[in-house]
Amino acid sequence: MAEEPDELPVEKWTDSNVSSWLRTTGVREQYIKKLYEEEVDGRILLVLTEDYLRKEIGMKSGPALLIIRKRNELVDTKQKTQGKPQSSNDSEKGSKKQGSAPQIPETDQGLSEEEKQTHQGQSVVDNVLTTKRDCKPRPFGKEGIDFTYVKHSVLQPESGVFDLISPCHEYKSLDNAAKLDRARLQAKFAKEVLKFGTGCMNIRSNGTIHFGVMDSRDDTGYVHGEIIGVPVFEKDIYVDALDHIERSFSRSDSEHVRQCIRPPQFIEVMDINSTEKRYVVEVDIFPSISIVKNRVYSVRLPNFKESSNKIEHEKETIYRRVGSKTEPVSDQNDFYQRVRDRDAQREEAEHCRYVNTPDICQDLGRKLTMLVTSGKKLIEKEKWYILVTNKFKPDDLSSIDFLLNMNIFCVFDFDTDSKLSGLCSKYIQHHAANMHFMQNYKIPSGMSIGEFVSHLHLFEQTSWIFCNGRSDYKGNENPCDEMTWIKTKITLLRESVSLICKQILPKGAFLVVFLLTSPVEKPLLHTFYEFFTDMEGHEDIVCISESEDNYQKWQSFAEGSCGTETVNHSSVVGMKMSHVDATLQRIQPVTSRDTKHLPIYLKGQCLLETRDEERMYSLEILSVNHCDETSDDYIKAEKENIERQFYHGGRVTWLNFWLAEKKFVGEVIKRDAYRDVSKLLTDTMKWGVDRPVNSINIYHHPGSGGSTVGRQVLWNKRTDLRCAVVKPSYSAANVSEHAVQLREYEEKDPEKCLPVLLLIEDCDKEYLDELRNELVCHQH
């Protein structure tokens, strides 16, 4: 009897097994078919790379990344369940160059040929467990900035001296040493920093030494420059290690070294699949000519001697940077004679660095417009927006009018005070919104997706999702720190994002906007990763950040998923919120904070607040001044399209009537049926005392203009009656409740209100009877 795929090692899977497994990942069938045609079986699956999937199979970044990630999880699971040994690399040295063959571990000696092959196969698996993308280092000389690295990203190779200002780079894994006691770790760290530092100072070049990054020696499974990070239990161990400067240099030199070797920087390493905190520890070297001029520095490097159990110092040595290495100076006479030349080069380099060059001014307004409209002139009325944000500054809260006229489907909000004093508190002054937590986005057993959407009112009012609790909430939803959030809430985030992107909103129908208004923390970065993965790419994700520092951390993380060029293309950085507000209002179909009015019993008008209108969500309410808020730019761009669509058989819109009323286009013809219905309506109004609920039926053939007649009657009665179209799929009880709310809205006496005129389309007699009964009950 044949084994099931779940029982087989991956390397023994057929191409059909691979196809079946791929379907469980959720990638599109077209990609699965293509991989099947390319005869991708289990052995090939184990060595697939993201680069191959993109270039040879033609995948987008998102699904390619998803397949690699799911493959890695699969291999990891099988290792655990089938008891296979996992490789461990404790070496402190760097990895092989990418592309070199995996070495057979020493434990293979004495194994049978079959066992050796299995073990070699496992080495191949371990070598492909991670997706490795190029990334940029932290900007040189920027201390204390909010920057992050992504584990397994790859920095450019170690470099030599270029122009003295651009830093050279050296990598050390420090993997074993990071676990040593304080004295041993400090000696190891100081030795590497002081050797590299004096090499840079003597050659007059800026430089950065990175700990937690693989160099190119003997580690299998890693590539040169790969970011792994080191656990840092006490940061002061690394900071205090530089106290070795005073013991390793002469007194006069040690003062210079202190000025040129900057304090260690701790750059957090993000790992989507782990909650362990790791860092790349970096030390910048900046040999300013005002400090190092006419000097050559020699150093006595510290070494912890196990035999004596204490630190001893090597003999005094002059180091210099040569290519990608730091080496002792062999010809010291020649080196001393060329000090002036090196000083002159450094002085010139520093001078050129500070010469003002005119900045190339990027047209951020145009870039923002293109990103938000997907290249169109105006924001599409039908487009949905998902907003991801953190804490707003008080000044920025006065510049959110552009959000009030966007179709915001939901907000993933990481500001725990948002309901009290943040964006949510401002937004609900103008719109109705449903307050949710991430656990609300788990579909109860037995409930269909349609029922779930209706249950949470997802398309009726904006959903406000508090991703890290609410400070004003009395239930058990307290804010938590970053690491606790990752341990306890990341699964909820993953499920809610996946539900929205894969089951509720169709691909291409929505845009995700990350609005970074305060320092970026890891939960928000995880949110980007989940959206990027589930949306199969970055083309519908935009980032807006006024602060360069806030953006820096976002950028360094996002580049790990989709590359520098893509991230930069989709980001607007440096634009004030007030400018973002003004720019986006110009391209919206309606003007900001539009005010709607309803007729009242005493022949005046009242203001219909948007948030109140949204609470009557089963009705499309027609206001007295409907469409008056339409922007001039929208009229110019769209009036011909709107008229053409109607005369080609499209359903009439309120804008058709408004454009005709304002003489922008020709009149909408009044058919005989319009006059008949209008007369019946007038007669019906006379019977109102005896018959509080009346109905007029418009019988018509499909496509013959019945909807147009009905809407035309409402349009022309909107100044005398309260008019609305009943939206489909709502219960009679819902509609009745909202109709009564509309009738009594802003009226003093419930007995003295204007009649409500409802247009109900495509419904059966049972529904009409039920609605009539509900309305009659409400009247009493």
Side-chain angles (χ1 to χ4, degrees), residues 210-226:
H210 310 253
F211 296 90
V213 179
M214 293 297 175
D215 61 16
S216 55
R217 298 187 189 161
D218 303 322
D219 282 336
T220 57
Y222 298 111
V223 298
H224 177 66
E226 185 171 345

Side-chain angles (χ1 to χ4, degrees), residues 580-683:
V580 170
D581 186 30
T583 301
L584 292 184
Q585 282 191 58
R586 283 207 319 270
I587 57 169
Q588 291 183 328
V590 296
T591 54
S592 73
R593 299 199 186 187
D594 54 296
T595 54
K596 295 183 178 180
H597 296 91
L598 293 176
I600 61 173
Y601 184 76
L602 296 176
K603 304 301 180 188
Q605 294 183 2
C606 70
L607 178 66
L608 172 62
E609 295 282 0
T610 303
R611 62 176 181 271
D612 294 327
E613 180 186 7
E614 289 169 350
R615 289 181 185 127
M616 296 179 270
Y617 51 80
S618 69
L619 304 179
E620 181 189 347
I621 299 170
L622 185 59
S623 63
V624 171
N625 58 332
H626 216 82
C627 299
D628 283 0
E629 76 280 4
T630 309
S631 73
D632 292 341
D633 287 341
Y634 185 77
I635 294 167
K636 290 173 189 172
E638 294 295 321
K639 69 177 182 181
E640 289 181 7
N641 291 337
I642 293 165
E643 189 177 27
R644 188 186 308 116
Q645 184 180 14
F646 173 55
Y647 284 114
H648 280 77
R651 172 167 278 191
V652 73
T653 67
W654 302 127
L655 207 51
N656 286 118
F657 297 122
W658 185 84
L659 290 169
E661 194 174 87
K662 300 295 182 184
K663 309 298 184 188
F664 286 113
V665 298
E667 267 192 76
V668 179
I669 298 167
K670 292 177 180 172
R671 301 168 184 252
D672 290 341
Y674 168 79
R675 283 178 269 276
D676 294 341
V677 171
S678 297
K679 184 177 184 307
L680 281 170
L681 181 60
T682 303
D683 294 342

Side-chain angles (χ1 to χ4, degrees), residues 709-761:
V709 169
R711 279 170 165 73
Q712 200 169 20
V713 171
L714 262 64
W715 180 260
N716 290 322
K717 290 293 182 182
R718 74 190 190 282
T719 57
D720 305 314
L721 306 175
R722 293 197 171 175
C723 301
V725 178
V726 175
K727 296 178 185 176
S729 305
Y730 287 100
S731 69
N734 251 159
V735 174
S736 174
E737 179 188 350
H738 295 157
V740 172
Q741 287 174 11
L742 176 60
R743 179 177 179 272
E744 297 177 1
Y745 185 77
E746 286 288 298
E747 293 284 15
K748 288 182 180 179
D749 185 353
E751 299 300 318
K752 294 180 179 179
C753 300
L754 289 175
V756 171
L757 179 60
L758 297 178
L759 175 62
I760 309 165
E761 300 174 293

Side-chain angles (χ1 to χ4, degrees), residues 11-31:
E11 56 267 25
K12 292 187 178 179
W13 281 8
T14 64
D15 46 11
S16 296
N17 294 149
V18 171
S19 295
S20 298
W21 173 78
L22 283 168
R23 288 187 180 92
T24 69
T25 68
V27 296
R28 292 183 177 181
E29 190 65 31
Q30 67 194 65
Y31 296 140

